[in-house]
């Protein structure tokens, strides 16, 4: 490993693939990333080492790494970068697939969303492997160079792209797209141009820098330099912009606008990957149509004129966020076991269907959820070691780790670092879905990036389609607004209001005379105070100070975020983190064929007094640990509640939507890996994934025989299906207990891919 002085160089980002390196690197000062001469030297030697070492990191991996670094240098735009990750993955995958005997490309040569992406017959006399790598590199280079040319870090990013091409031995000045002569370089340029042209038509509004066309917020901005007033919110159920003196996004870029606009309010119109028309609902507001995918229905609403059960659900959700911020003081003496022995292992089926039942999932006063943990590590056969740490350290580290900021690759990019971490693990074998032969690094990377990229793109479209339509309020606005109205617990107490915040002893109370917060002239008597994280007024130096927890005016409540950021500039419902992470967890589970991290555990160490950014901490070393990918995803979701960004109502619907997106993206991608006929619409197989070893086939044709093969074409079983009692469908029951995985079901002469989940 290179010396410490090279920690932020791109060569270290290539070499140090361990999870901790990525996140520690993110904490460095963004203004001075590395010395150019050092960067050039290290980058060159590493790339040469990769080229000369058989079985080492693939060229696709190198392009993914420079993409992640370019995202860190760009504005923090989860939607835009989910799209960049996906389109780059398409460039890599299609370039590889055109040379593969079995695979077929996704975009090139196909018609998608009404756009015909032409591919004329192509052949080359060059070595197939070398041609494949050249096509792949030119395609990725052209896509990335175009997408990041206007980035605030464009100078660094474009230099990195150029350097990688140079070290791979390719001429960046070769720009021809005429591949008729058999030039793999020209083919790569053509693939890139096709993807870029497709992007101009995909409804992302890239030409206008992805700005909204018609969305306008209904609420005036919350001025963060003054206390709330009762005139600042028109509708407490809708998103409120924030007004800053200086706004710095999660990647550390200063934004010139003092009132950041809603990012991606109309992203539901963007062309998806696997999301279908059946997933979409078109809704209209103020004569404007919004495309909404996987609509979960409206979030809890606050009625300020009349008491209702919905009012109480709204109040419970946002009060919980305030109460959980009281758990961020490491001096409170509360210790938790944060190992997989105690945390994780939540079945998504246990998520309540009704907002009214969310109090059965989250612990309002103590924090956390219904995690039951894992009895033992299934890989080692031993119990997980207990790890006792202050609850406050755990919660604070979670809030910063999963926030991906500052200096961030954004949530979808974060999951690509997790994928790369898993791919590099010494115990991991690159068998697709855990079956068959070990794939070479290039094939593993292009396939896994393709699926994960598609899932992240769909997660952004679905989550932001819901955000744009429901336009839901964030905790900082809801908590301050309810407290400004008063209390809603007791009509006999002062400042009662039906829309006010509920009083909870020890956490949410009214200020009385003699209270330290009553004010010089008792001007605050009767107002609401919160026992919560005290905020940035109590931090002079991030290296020495901890704000701690105490009683504060509700109008001074802050999320556990930087004062120059506070809350992401878009609506809360549903949580993007929950949607991205659960979709990614499902993809990781399916492509690896195992729900557990290699070795039964993934982890990241946050060093004592080094990890936290805007206050000192943690007070001891904290090792975040996850037995499964879903455990990591669920931890991501809780981090946003402790961080003051989301209430529970934003979280759980995102998890449910993310699960569907991840599985659907995986199923949608599989047919591209085989030239088998897998799309015959006359045969419908359900359920898929298959549960309980039973599957039904509905078709108008007569079925004589069904054969089952694994993905490598190995024969497993032959059976004659039986018609059901109503003669409407065929039923197959597998007599042997097939392990979870992907299989080919051959119905006479038609092949279909199925997933078996045990």
């Amino acid at each position: 490993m290179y010396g410490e002085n090279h920690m932020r160089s791109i060569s270290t980002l290539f070499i140090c693939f361990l999870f901790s390196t990525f996140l520690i690197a993110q904490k460095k000062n963004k203004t001075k990333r590395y010395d150019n001469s050092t960067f050039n030297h290290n980058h060159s030697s590493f790339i040469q080492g990769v080229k000369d070492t058989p079985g080492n990191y693939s060229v696709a991996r190198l392009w993914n790494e420079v993409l992640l670094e370019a995202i860190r240098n760009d504005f923090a735009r989860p939607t835009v970068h989910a799209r960049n990750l996906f389109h780059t993955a398409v460039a890599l995958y299609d370039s590889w697939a055109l040379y593969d005997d079995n695979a077929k490309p996704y975009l090139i040569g196909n018609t998608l969303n009404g756009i015909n992406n032409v591919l004329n017959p192509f052949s080359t006399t060059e070595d197939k492997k070398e041609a494949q790598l050249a096509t792949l590199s030119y395609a990725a280079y052209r896509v990335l160079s175009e997408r990041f040319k206007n980035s605030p870090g464009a100078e660094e990013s474009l230099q990195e792209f150029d350097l990688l091409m140079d070290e791979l031995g390719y001429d960046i000045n070769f720009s021809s797209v005429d591949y008729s002569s058999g030039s793999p370089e020209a083919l790569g340029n053509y693939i890139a141009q096709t993807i870029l042209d497709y992007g101009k038509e995909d409804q992302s509004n890239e030409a206008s820098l992805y700005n909204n066309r018609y969305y306008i917020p209904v609420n005036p901005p919350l001025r963060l330099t003054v206390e709330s007033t009762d005139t600042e919110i028109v509708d407490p159920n809708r998103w409120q912009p924030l007004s800053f003196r200086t706004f710095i996004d999660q990647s550390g870029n200063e934004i010139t606008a003092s009132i950041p606009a809603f990012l991606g309010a109309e992203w539901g119109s963007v062309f998806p990957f696997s999301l279908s028309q059946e997933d979409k609902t078109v809704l209209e507001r103020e004569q404007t149509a919004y495309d909404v995918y996987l609509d979960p229905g409206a979030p809890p609403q606050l009625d300020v004129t009349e008491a209702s059960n919905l009012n109480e659900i709204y109040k419970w959700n946002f009060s919980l966020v305030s109460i959980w911020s009281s758990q961020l003081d490491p001096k409170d003496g509360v210790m938790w076991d944060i190992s997989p022995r105690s945390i994780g292992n939540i079945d998504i089926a246990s998520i309540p269907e009704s907002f009214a039942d969310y109090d059965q999932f989250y612990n309002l006063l103590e924090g956390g959820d219904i995690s039951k943990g894992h009895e033992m590590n299934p890989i080692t056969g031993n119990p997980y070691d207990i790890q006792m740490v202050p609850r406050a350290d755990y919660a604070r580290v979670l809030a910063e780790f999963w926030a991906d900021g500052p200096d961030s690759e954004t949530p979808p990019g974060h999951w690509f670092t997790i994928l790369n971490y898993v791919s590099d693990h010494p115990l991991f074998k690159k068998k697709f879905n855990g079956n068959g032969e070990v794939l070479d690094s290039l094939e593993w990377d292009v396939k896994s990036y393709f699926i994960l990229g598609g899932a992240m793109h769909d997660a952004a479209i679905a989550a932001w389609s819901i955000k744009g339509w429901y336009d839901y309020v964030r905790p900082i606005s809801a908590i301050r607004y309810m407290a400004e109205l008063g209390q809603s617990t007791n009509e006999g107490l002062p400042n009662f209001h039906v829309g006010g915040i509920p009083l909870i002893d020890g956490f949410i109370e009214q200020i009385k005379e003699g209270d330290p917060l009553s004010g010089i002239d008792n001007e605050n008597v009767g107002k609401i105070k919160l026992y919560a994280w005290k905020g940035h007024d109590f931090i002079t130096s991030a290296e020495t100070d901890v704000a701690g927890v105490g009683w504060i005016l509700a109008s001074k409540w802050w999320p556990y975020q930087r004062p120059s950021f506070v809350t992401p500039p878009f609506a809360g419902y549903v949580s993007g983190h929950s949607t991205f992470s659960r979709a990614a967890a499902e993809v990781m589970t399916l492509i690896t064929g195992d729900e557990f991290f290699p070795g039964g555990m993934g982890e990241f160490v946050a060093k004592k007094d080094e990890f936290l950014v805007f206050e000192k901490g943690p007070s001891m070393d904290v090792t975040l640990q996850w037995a499964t990918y879903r455990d990591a995803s669920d931890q991501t979701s809780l981090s946003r509640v402790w961080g003051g960004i989301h209430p529970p109502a934003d979280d759980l619907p995102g998890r449910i939507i993310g699960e569907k997106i991840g599985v659907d993206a995986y199923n949608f991608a599989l047919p591209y890996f085989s030239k088998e006929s897998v799309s015959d619409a006359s045969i419908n197989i359900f359920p898929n994934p298959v549960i309980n070893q039973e599957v039904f086939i509905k078709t108008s044709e007569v079925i004589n025989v069904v054969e089952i093969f694994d993905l490598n074409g190995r024969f497993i079983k032959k059976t004659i299906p039986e018609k059901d009692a109503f003669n409407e469908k065929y039923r197959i029951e597998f007599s042997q207990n097939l392990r979870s995985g992907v299989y080919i079901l051959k119905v006479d002469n038609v092949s279909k891919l199925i997933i078996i989940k045990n």
Side-chain angles (χ1 to χ4, degrees), residues 429-439 444 590-594 666 709-712 714 716 738-743 754 756:
K429 297 186 183 301
K430 296 176 181 177
K431 295 183 177 184
F432 193 77
N433 193 241
N435 294 310
E437 301 298 323
V438 175
L439 304 182
W444 169 261
L590 288 166
I591 64 175
T592 64
D594 193 343
Y666 179 81
F709 301 83
D710 66 16
L711 278 183
N712 292 313
R714 289 191 291 261
I716 295 177
L738 296 178
R739 60 167 290 179
S740 295
V742 184
Y743 298 87
I754 62 170
I756 292 179

Side-chain angles (χ1 to χ4, degrees), residues 415 418-419 422 452 583-594 629:
W415 279 93
I418 295 174
L419 169 58
V422 169
L452 183 59
E586 295 302 321
V587 167
M588 293 292 296
T589 299
L590 288 166
I591 64 175
T592 64
D594 193 343
Y629 304 112

Side-chain angles (χ1 to χ4, degrees), residues 414-433:
H414 198 160
W415 279 93
F416 272 81
T417 70
I418 295 174
L419 169 58
N420 290 338
Y421 162 76
V422 169
S423 297
D424 292 337
H425 198 287
L427 296 179
F428 179 67
K429 297 186 183 301
K430 296 176 181 177
K431 295 183 177 184
F432 193 77
N433 193 241

Side-chain angles (χ1 to χ4, degrees), residues 382-416:
N382 298 320
Y384 288 99
D385 292 334
I386 293 173
Q387 183 193 174
M388 300 299 297
V389 303
R391 175 185 60 182
D393 280 342
Y394 174 65
R396 292 188 301 160
V397 169
L398 280 194
E400 286 206 23
F401 179 84
W402 290 111
D404 290 335
D407 201 27
S408 161
E409 64 272 333
T410 73
H414 198 160
W415 279 93
F416 272 81

Side-chain angles (χ1 to χ4, degrees), residues 29-49:
N29 189 329
K30 186 177 176 64
T31 59
K32 180 67 175 176
R33 302 180 77 84
Y34 45 73
D35 175 76
N36 282 338
S37 61
T38 301
F39 163 78
N40 290 347
H41 171 74
N42 288 341
H43 186 279
S44 173
S45 61
F46 174 73
I47 299 297
Q48 188 60 49

Side-chain angles (χ1 to χ4, degrees), residues 158-178:
L158 296 180
Q159 182 189 44
E160 290 168 7
F161 305 154
D162 289 351
L163 284 169
L164 180 52
M165 286 291 281
D166 182 61
E167 294 301 331
L168 292 172
Y170 300 128
D171 180 7
I172 63 174
N173 296 311
F174 181 81
S175 59
S176 172
V177 295
D178 182 7

